[in-house]
Amino acid sequence: MCGIAGAYFWPDGGPLTDRLTKILAHRGPDGSGRYDHRAGEGEVHLGHRRLSIVDLTETGAQPMVKDGLALTYNGELYNSPELRKELEAGGVRFRGTSDTEVVLEAWREWGTEGLHRLRGMFAFGVFDERTGALTLVRDQLGIKPLFLVRRGKGVAFASELKALATELGGSLTVDDTALVASLLYYWVPDGRCAFTEAEKLPPGSWARFRPNGDVERGTFWSLRQVAEDGAAYEGDFDLNAVIEDSTRKHLMADVPVATFLSGGLDSSYLTALAAREQPGISAYTIGFRAEDAKFEAMPDDLMYAKKVAAKFGVDLHEIEIAPQVLDLLPRMTYHLDEPIGDPAAINSYLICTAAREAGVKVMLSGMGADELFAGYRKHLANKIALQYQRVPGLVRRPVESLVDRLPVATSKRGFRSVRFAKRFLSFAELPEETAFRRSYTMYDQAELAGLLNPDLAGAVDDVLTEHADTYHDNTLSDFVNRMCLADSRLFLPGLNLTYTDRSSMAASTEVRTPFVDIEVVKAAFRIPGDKKIVKRQGKMALKEAALSILPAEIVHRPKGLFSAPLRAWMSRDLAPLVREVTNEGELVKAGFLRREALRKLVDEDASGQQDRSKHLWHILTLEYWYRGAVAARTT
């Protein structure tokens, strides 16, 4: 895992590449390099920061230059051994054992036609000295990031937006629609970027830049097509075998590998499989201050993590999440690149920091299982909503009135069941796509518009239309798999993979996600929705597969939360900052947010009548991000 950057047909491209690469030093503290070459009448410069995972010698150093090709690569190729054997059989001679060299030779042999054969997470730039063309590529599922800015015939690119924003910030403008989207979702969708002039290379795609200014783009993998092919699949397969194979491949490394272990199904399943391959493997889990856990009514995940560790001989390390949030908030906002309001990023960062201090460079995460196998509460809730709509209104109205009057918290504790009930009733009677969106986003259309400058009403419409277009962009007849596909195209790359990448790399640690693997994804969409949600149980297909190795007590335990005690933080640590941002924040001064609307959120949260902690946390992250963006424009 590494950081990559570069410039093509860009004035002062060499020094710019050095500066971009330096900002990415946390992604690769083990080495750095730069490659320069003529490209027609211009030049190409490729930069690299290395986190040595496979082939720790100089034969794995980058940018890698070999027989007319130059490659700067960020990722891991899990089918590298198989592709290496195939290429060797065709006469290729390898200098080292790195997967980087396999990617380079696979490109030489197959070019873009072979990209679908790469099984892993990756983003790379490859330059052909003969044609002078630079091609940028991003993996099928958007696990690894790649940002770029185009100017004329030129392009500058980097693994993180902060590098481009720092160096080109004076010429970049904030995309108001992207910020509106971040308010709705609490993250910026992968199809948008926080700066108008920048873009994210879409998952499963490539872009080629030529010396004459021509630009070609192509797609080598379609998640929608995989889902539709899966719906037509009629064969049998062993899901456990698919996940076991993916986990085994994700353990490939020349350095120690550990796991996240929350004690929930996904992390326990992966940890058990990993421990069978590597006995005594280490795992890291989180705990919270007792008063925070009590206030939030959080489940005792640590108890289950300890049981899994004891059963499978895992060396378990507990990390207490009692951070100095006033210090961590601006730091995490910087590292996350775009405004992301999920405090789970702090958990991930602190766990990875502790692992790194113990000498661990690679960790496995259960990320992605909920999206693919319908494991979130929203999936079940949306199914229940279809039944709720058939209940007579004479029965529904009194229930809704009662729930509306109930508080979500007192001064001493929160009531999770009331929060869930209020959330459910906010979308239970809406049409399918609208209900699904409302079940996991922050505001309905009127609330979002009321929070913003009236001039942004068109941006609100655009964001809601984009969600609807993405949700309906398929031919699936299966309601549950429509939700899983939407999550895999929106929620997974936009939020979970993004914060996982940025927070882990901020700690110079690589996180791998065995569930977010092209073979696991194919398998997931071959499973019909009625096998994923059975009665009132979500993720049933995965649970049945996990029973082959995990005890039922772990498989069927209540779902845990990889989150943070936000209400406790808001009522204590962050209360003064919330007041400051609400009254005198830069977003309020700029007219982007309405002061009175923010005050209403604060009052609703303080009264305990509504849970607005997540809304307010995201307002804080957006404020800090905006301050950084304004500062970059003025330096």
Side-chain angles (χ1 to χ4, degrees):
M1 192 55 54
C2 307
I4 64 173
Y8 182 77
F9 274 78
W10 198 280
D12 202 29
L16 171 64
T17 298
D18 284 343
R19 296 193 300 272
L20 294 172
T21 307
K22 183 178 180 180
I23 295 171
L24 300 175
H26 54 278
R27 296 186 75 95
D30 298 333
S32 64
R34 191 180 107 191
Y35 163 85
D36 311 285
H37 201 275
R38 294 291 303 174
E41 297 178 355
E43 294 180 341
V44 65
H45 308 275
L46 304 179
H48 193 266
R49 292 293 313 203
R50 186 183 186 193
L51 182 64
S52 303
I53 303 294
V54 177
D55 188 355
L56 310 185
T57 71
E58 283 303 304
T59 59
Q62 296 188 51
M64 183 173 286
V65 184
K66 185 179 177 185
D67 300 332
L69 292 179
L71 174 68
T72 184
Y73 163 72
N74 167 32
E76 300 293 351
L77 187 62
Y78 302 122
N79 63 340
S80 172
E82 295 92 330
L83 292 180
R84 177 184 291 268
K85 288 180 182 178
E86 183 176 349
L87 290 165
E88 286 177 333
V92 175
R93 297 176 63 86
F94 287 90
R95 299 184 303 203
T97 61
S98 72
D99 59 324
T100 306
E101 193 173 4
V102 174
V103 171
L104 186 148
E105 293 297 347
W107 179 266
R108 189 193 314 279
E109 183 71 19
W110 302 306
T112 58
E113 296 302 312
L115 289 173
H116 71 282
R117 303 180 62 181
L118 304 184
R119 181 179 179 183
M121 54 180 182
F122 50 85
F124 62 83
V126 59
F127 177 72
D128 189 327
E129 294 178 348
R130 296 162 297 176
T131 66
L134 170 70
T135 306
L136 304 179
V137 180
R138 189 176 177 206
D139 69 63
Q140 295 94 324
L141 295 161
I143 305 173
K144 290 293 106 183
L146 191 57
F147 295 88
L148 56 114
V149 173
R150 293 182 58 194
R151 286 183 185 167
K153 293 168 60 174
V155 61
F157 66 91
S159 292
E160 296 182 3
L161 182 60
K162 71 177 66 64
L164 295 170
T166 299
E167 292 305 317
L168 308 176
S171 59
L172 301 182
T173 54
V174 172
D175 186 332
D176 286 343
T177 305
L179 299 198
V180 171
S182 83
L183 277 169
L184 176 69
Y185 296 111
Y186 59 94
W187 37 272
V188 177
D190 200 64
R192 284 199 170 271
C193 192
F195 293 103
T196 304
E197 297 82 2
E199 64 176 289
K200 303 164 187 169
L201 191 66
S205 75
W206 55 270
R208 178 176 292 131
F209 303 88
R210 295 189 181 278
N212 64 1
D214 287 349
V215 180
E216 304 167 60
R217 291 179 181 264
T219 299
F220 63 92
W221 209 81
S222 165
L223 187 55
R224 181 190 67 185
Q225 190 62 53
V226 167
E228 292 175 349
D229 290 347
Y233 183 79
E234 297 180 351
D236 294 324
F237 67 95
D238 183 342
L239 179 60
N240 178 66
V242 176
I243 295 171
E244 185 177 18
D245 175 68
S246 178
T247 303
R248 183 185 306 111
K249 283 180 163 54
H250 280 70
L251 287 167
M252 177 189 72
D254 295 330
V255 296
V257 179
T259 74
F260 288 93
L261 177 57
S262 68
L265 169 64
D266 311 332
S267 64
S268 297
Y269 192 5
L270 291 184
T271 298
L273 291 172
R276 194 157 62 184
E277 293 292 321
Q278 295 186 9
I281 193 170
S282 294
Y284 289 78
T285 192
I286 57 174
F288 297 99
R289 291 179 297 194
E291 61 269 28
D292 290 347
K294 181 179 179 181
F295 188 91
E296 295 284 341
M298 299 179 105
D300 186 6
D301 290 337
L302 181 59
M303 173 184 71
Y304 292 100
K306 287 180 177 178
K307 289 182 178 181
V308 172
K311 180 174 179 61
F312 295 99
V314 172
D315 182 18
L316 184 64
H317 304 264
E318 180 187 357
I319 310 300
E320 183 178 83
I321 303 297
Q324 297 295 320
V325 288
L326 282 171
D327 296 331
L328 271 179
L329 177 59
R331 192 188 317 170
M332 290 311 304
T333 302
Y334 168 79
H335 278 295
L336 289 172
D337 271 355
E338 294 181 298
I340 293 178
D342 193 335
I346 289 179
N347 301 352
S348 178
Y349 172 73
L350 294 176
I351 288 178
C352 289
T353 298
R356 179 69 192 203
E357 290 172 352
V360 175
K361 284 186 177 182
V362 180
M363 298 191 69
L364 302 189
S365 164
M367 186 71 67
D370 284 313
E371 290 87 345
L372 293 167
F373 296 98
Y376 288 121
R377 292 186 179 91
K378 65 181 177 184
H379 298 133
L380 176 59
N382 275 276
K383 278 207 70 176
I384 294 174
L386 297 179
Q387 302 167 354
Y388 181 77
Q389 291 173 11
R390 295 195 288 267
V391 175
L394 289 175
V395 177
R396 297 200 307 263
R397 298 290 92 82
V399 172
E400 292 165 2
S401 177
L402 173 63
V403 171
D404 185 58
R405 294 195 302 269
L406 292 174
V408 297
T410 66
S411 61
K412 295 184 178 180
R413 62 166 297 185
F415 304 117
R416 294 179 72 201
S417 59
V418 177
R419 294 205 304 270
F420 293 155
K422 285 178 181 281
R423 185 68 167 162
F424 174 77
L425 292 176
S426 72
F427 64 84
E429 299 185 40
L430 299 174
E432 179 184 320
E433 179 271 328
T434 309
F436 179 70
R437 167 173 55 79
R438 191 67 189 95
S439 70
Y440 74 96
T441 54
M442 302 285 277
Y443 308 92
D444 65 24
Q445 184 168 3
E447 289 171 333
L448 182 59
L451 188 64
L452 295 162
N453 187 309
D455 293 342
L456 294 171
V460 174
D461 290 338
D462 288 345
V463 170
L464 298 184
T465 299
E466 287 169 4
H467 184 279
D469 289 346
T470 301
Y471 187 87
H472 292 301
D473 180 31
N474 63 83
T475 61
L476 299 178
S477 60
D478 187 319
F479 173 44
V480 172
N481 274 324
R482 284 198 295 273
M483 291 190 288
C484 290
L485 178 58
D487 267 345
S488 300
R489 299 173 77 180
L490 289 165
F491 193 75
L492 186 57
L495 174 64
N496 284 340
L497 292 175
T498 296
Y499 87 67
T500 298
D501 172 83
R502 308 303 190 279
S503 60
S504 61
M505 294 308 296
S508 301
T509 306
E510 172 179 302
V511 171
R512 300 176 177 180
T513 52
F515 287 115
V516 191
D517 170 84
I518 57 174
E519 297 304 322
V520 176
V521 170
K522 290 176 186 176
F525 283 106
R526 290 171 179 169
I527 300 170
D530 60 8
K531 296 291 181 66
K532 291 181 176 180
I533 299 180
V534 181
K535 296 181 180 178
R536 296 299 175 88
Q537 287 286 318
K539 212 155 49 177
M540 280 302 296
L542 189 68
K543 290 176 179 178
E544 290 174 0
L547 284 171
S548 64
I549 188 169
L550 286 177
E553 177 188 13
I554 300 298
V555 171
H556 294 295
R557 61 154 291 198
K559 182 173 175 57
L561 294 172
F562 188 67
S563 188
L566 274 186
R567 285 197 58 82
W569 291 355
M570 287 298 168
S571 65
R572 294 193 290 267
D573 309 69
L574 296 172
L577 180 60
V578 170
R579 288 193 294 270
E580 174 198 330
V581 169
T582 299
N583 292 304
E584 298 297 332
E586 294 300 321
L587 289 166
V588 169
K589 291 179 181 178
F592 185 82
L593 295 178
R594 298 185 190 184
R595 181 179 287 110
E596 291 307 312
L598 289 183
R599 287 175 175 171
K600 181 182 177 183
L601 290 178
V602 173
D603 292 343
E604 288 174 341
D605 192 68
S607 70
Q609 195 60 31
Q610 296 289 340
D611 179 11
R612 301 298 192 187
S613 56
K614 183 176 286 189
H615 302 68
L616 296 174
W617 173 267
H618 183 53
I619 295 294
L620 296 183
T621 64
L622 184 59
E623 172 74 16
Y624 272 105
W625 183 89
Y626 188 75
R627 290 178 185 178
V630 170
R633 284 189 57 81
T634 57
T635 56

